[in-house]
Amino acid sequence: MKKYSVFSLINNAFSYHQNWDVAWRDPEPKKEYEVIIIGGGGHGLATAYYLAKNFNIRNVAILEKGWIGGGNVGRNTTILRSNYMHNANNLFYEKGMQMWRDLSQELNYNVMYSPRGILNLAHSDAQMNTYSRRGNSMRLNGIDAKLLNREDVKKMIPFADFSSNCRFPIFGGLFQSSGGTARHDAVAWGYARGADDHGIDIIQNCEVTGFDVSNGKIKGVQTSRGNIKAKKIGLCVAGSTSLLAEKLNMTLPIEAHVLQACVSEPIKPLLDQVVTFGAGHFYCSQSDKGEMVMGGDLDGYNSYAQRGNLPTIQHVLTEGVALFPNLSRLKMLRTWGGIMDMSMDTSPIIDKTHIDGLYLNCGWCYGGFKATPVSGLTFAHTIAKDEVHELNAPFRLDRFNTGHLIDEKGIGTKTWIS
Amino acid sequence: MLEIKCPYCGKRSQNEFAYGGDATIKRPKLNTEVSDEEWDTFVYYRKNPRGDHLELWQHISGCRQWFKAKRNTATHEIIETYELSSNKEEHS
Ligand SMILES: Cc1cc2nc3c(=O)[nH]c(=O)nc-3n(C[C@H](O)[C@H](O)[C@H](O)COP(=O)(O)OP(=O)(O)OC[C@H]3O[C@@H](n4cnc5c(N)ncnc54)[C@H](O)[C@@H]3O)c2cc1C
Ligand SMILES: [Zn+2]
């Protein structure tokens, strides 16, 4: 792989940027691999990258039914944070935050990591109490958290509604200064280029349609481009997990739901942080292009359609306008949706399965983008060593039978409420 | 916008309804021995099909009745809705 640098940039300027190397090859699938990763989203690409980099396993293929980055990794609102309550989530996501810090150097690809801080607003005394509890839990795990009062918040976002007749007055907020955003496409492309550089085959337009299992051991997959054998197979298909699990006669504690997001027309720099509204579900950040990137609730019914309905967008933006009245003047550029693999306790699953050589990575709900590096790291470990990494040890599938749930939201099994 | 036909009130906008999830999961029978596995399956495990899905809805901002709907999870088409008491449970 030719490194990207200021010198390669200048060099290529002489040939009008016509002679850059392709970032990854477009190989024909081989008959057999040591490991097959199904799904060329962020998690699949990162897993393959760390299999090669950390475990020297290079005879690997990533099978993607569409194009890499066409799934949720290219559809999310790019928020990075580790502001959880439970230790398992705190430690896992904080390892991820550490990896984001030097991911651009690691991949020699600018993922535009921007630690601009994330501010969760509180609108009542009770909410301030919950946030101080959560902040303490974070600090005990070495994560930066700061409880802000109303005046602190006013300095950060003076254009929010601080008027006296506001329906949900801002009492303060919980701030994680290391939280922020990264460019989602660049994360997929950076990992793809890195994986390809290690000799991994990225095979697009290759849909997995079935599995070959014999005597409780995985042997290979059937795909739209023929049968391919493998010793080990890792599932990283996010919203499509139940569909592939069904082909293995597995039922999972997962429901598919559509989550929408939208962006406004671009405006001059207004919002420096990622801000979430605490009296409902609305979150917002401003992209480098100047668009306000906004999201909120799931549409709220099982869905495999990568599009939602207008009432949810309207509901989310109503909350947005309640928080930032000046948003009401903006035109929306576009809305889109992605399919969330909602697990029954809103925490992920990274584990082995009862089928020898088959590994499962799913249950990311609407928060899996920030986990991309650490999910890849721990899933690669789980596949290579056939045992879980200490960071994903709490995220095993059998927790739904042993009772060791990591119920961050406390909403029970009505995943669509979250 | 989904238009959902409440079996009692007729077609109304989705804004008036609340979702209740998969209508095919069956609670283990009362007063019988229930294994851990049966219970966990009931509470957590879902078929989660792509295609026809039998589900519960409540006309929460209307008559407040619960009812069942058969809806396609890939297209969002609502095929039919009917009262809870009706025993039409083709897929289960
Ligand atoms: C609107 C929206 C906003 C979000 N906001 C955030 C956020 O702010 N922060 C955050 O951390 N997370 C966020 N998320 C969640 C995050 O995007 C996901 O949790 C994460 O991207 C999922 O992992 P992935 O990247 O591997 O998934 P994907 O990119 O969906 O990858 C899965 C891939 O598997 C492929 N596939 C499926 N079936 C098959 C098959 N049979 N054969 C071959 N390939 C197959 C798909 O085509 C897809 O490319 C958001 C998601 C959405 C939709
Ligand atoms: Zn009604």
Side-chain angles (χ1 to χ4, degrees):
Chain A
M1 176 177 85
K2 290 213 185 88
K3 273 205 137 194
Y4 293 155
S5 69
V6 63
F7 303 110
S8 68
L9 190 65
I10 295 167
N11 223 348
N12 278 286
F14 290 116
S15 52
Y16 301 96
H17 300 290
Q18 297 298 309
N19 297 324
W20 285 99
D21 281 348
V22 293
W24 53 85
R25 298 160 297 132
D26 182 21
E28 281 300 312
K30 292 193 272 185
K31 288 265 166 292
E32 185 166 1
Y33 289 92
E34 191 170 341
V35 180
I36 285 178
I37 302 294
I38 309 176
H43 294 230
L45 293 162
T47 302
Y49 175 82
Y50 292 110
L51 274 175
K53 166 125 197 280
N54 295 358
F55 301 98
N56 201 26
I57 300 176
R58 291 156 194 267
N59 186 12
V60 178
I62 299 164
L63 308 183
E64 164 55 50
K65 77 171 172 193
W67 65 96
I68 58 167
N72 292 337
V73 70
R75 293 165 186 265
N76 62 78
T77 45
T78 78
I79 300 169
L80 315 177
R81 58 187 180 87
S82 56
N83 53 1
Y84 285 82
M85 175 76 209
H86 290 297
N87 286 347
N89 280 327
N90 264 341
L91 297 172
F92 180 81
Y93 287 107
E94 179 57 12
K95 172 69 182 171
M97 294 305 284
Q98 288 161 11
M99 293 173 79
W100 282 108
R101 275 163 215 152
D102 27 61
L103 195 61
S104 293
Q105 282 74 20
E106 163 84 31
L107 297 175
N108 179 235
Y109 203 99
N110 188 359
V111 299
M112 297 166 79
Y113 166 55
S114 161
R116 58 184 69 184
I118 178 164
L119 173 61
N120 300 129
L121 295 175
H123 308 267
S124 65
D125 282 329
Q127 210 167 11
M128 285 298 279
N129 286 342
T130 342
Y131 280 166
S132 81
R133 181 160 173 249
R134 203 198 314 171
N136 283 332
S137 165
M138 291 165 64
R139 290 173 80 129
L140 286 170
N141 283 311
I143 303 168
D144 60 301
K146 208 172 154 197
L147 199 63
L148 305 181
N149 64 26
R150 181 177 161 94
E151 288 313 308
D152 302 329
V153 172
K154 198 168 180 176
K155 279 190 206 117
M156 279 188 180
I157 45 168
F159 49 93
D161 190 351
F162 285 98
S163 65
S164 55
N165 59 353
C166 169
R167 173 68 181 81
F168 298 106
I170 294 169
F171 277 53
L174 183 64
F175 189 62
Q176 184 186 7
S177 62
S178 63
T181 59
R183 181 167 178 218
H184 49 11
D185 300 321
V187 174
W189 298 335
Y191 273 118
R193 177 166 167 267
D196 179 88
D197 182 46
H198 285 295
I200 286 166
D201 285 355
I202 298 172
I203 299 164
Q204 305 183 68
N205 298 313
C206 181
E207 178 171 4
V208 172
T209 52
F211 296 86
D212 294 325
V213 183
S214 79
N215 297 328
K217 190 166 170 24
I218 199 85
K219 298 287 180 194
V221 287
Q222 294 132 27
T223 81
S224 55
R225 294 175 69 171
N227 293 356
I228 310 175
K229 287 191 192 134
K231 292 195 188 71
K232 292 181 174 180
I233 293 179
L235 235 68
C236 289
V237 292
S240 303
T241 304
S242 296
L243 303 178
L244 281 182
E246 197 202 335
K247 299 189 192 298
L248 292 153
N249 294 322
M250 283 170 79
T251 306
L252 294 172
I254 286 190
E255 276 185 12
H257 284 269
V258 59
L259 177 66
Q260 300 190 75
C262 59
V263 291
S264 73
E265 58 186 327
I267 52 172
K268 289 195 172 162
L270 172 71
L271 181 60
D272 296 332
Q273 305 80 6
V274 178
V275 175
T276 73
F277 178 58
H281 201 173
F282 168 80
Y283 44 85
C284 186
S285 66
Q286 190 169 16
S287 76
D288 294 326
K289 286 183 280 184
E291 303 155 333
M292 303 305 278
V293 183
M294 298 172 282
D297 286 319
L298 298 168
D299 267 38
Y301 38 81
N302 288 50
S303 174
Y304 281 97
Q306 283 175 314
R307 61 184 182 282
N309 277 298
L310 211 51
T312 307
I313 293 287
Q314 195 175 25
H315 174 76
V316 167
L317 291 180
T318 306
E319 295 177 29
V321 172
L323 174 61
F324 298 134
N326 54 0
L327 286 185
S328 69
R329 311 275 287 274
L330 289 183
K331 293 189 181 70
M332 289 304 126
L333 267 193
R334 59 182 179 275
T335 69
W336 65 92
I339 302 306
M340 309 287 80
D341 35 336
M342 299 301 298
S343 67
M344 288 290 164
D345 62 354
T346 60
S347 293
I349 299 161
I350 309 178
D351 203 359
K352 315 197 297 181
T353 64
H354 68 284
I355 300 170
D356 199 11
L358 183 82
Y359 303 85
L360 192 61
N361 176 314
C362 62
W364 291 102
C365 303
Y366 39 71
F369 176 66
K370 62 183 175 294
T372 306
V374 67
S375 162
L377 182 85
T378 53
F379 197 42
H381 181 282
T382 306
I383 294 173
K385 305 221 154 182
D386 195 38
E387 65 188 27
V388 288
H389 185 280
E390 61 174 343
L391 284 174
N392 65 313
F395 298 114
R396 306 198 67 161
L397 181 56
D398 69 0
R399 71 175 185 270
F400 295 94
N401 302 97
T402 60
H404 295 89
L405 301 186
I406 311 167
D407 193 357
E408 194 68 40
K409 297 256 173 179
I411 51 164
T413 57
K414 301 207 168 355
T415 56
W416 57 89
I417 298 178
S418 67
Chain B
M1 165 90 74
L2 300 178
E3 280 192 329
I4 303 172
K5 190 175 155 218
C6 169
Y8 308 93
C9 313
K11 238 183 205 172
R12 316 287 300 180
S13 102
Q14 110 187 44
N15 292 329
E16 295 183 12
F17 296 88
Y19 186 59
D22 188 336
T24 66
I25 37 178
K26 289 205 174 65
R27 190 189 170 101
K29 278 211 178 66
L30 281 176
N31 302 322
T32 55
E33 189 61 33
V34 178
S35 70
D36 285 353
E37 201 191 331
E38 279 174 282
W39 185 254
D40 297 336
T41 304
F42 158 66
V43 179
Y44 298 117
Y45 290 80
R46 300 289 181 267
K47 285 238 160 51
N48 193 20
R50 184 179 194 278
D52 288 357
H53 189 232
L54 195 68
E55 53 200 23
L56 296 168
W57 286 83
Q58 187 191 13
H59 194 185
I60 195 157
S61 306
C63 65
R64 299 190 67 83
Q65 293 280 1
W66 283 93
F67 60 94
K68 286 184 194 168
K70 188 158 128 196
R71 192 181 54 91
N72 187 306
T73 58
T75 63
H76 294 167
E77 181 195 355
I78 297 166
I79 297 135
E80 60 177 322
T81 55
Y82 38 90
E83 295 164 20
L84 272 191
S85 55
S86 115
N87 282 327
K88 276 202 257 171
E89 285 177 24
E90 303 88 72
H91 83 115
S92 64

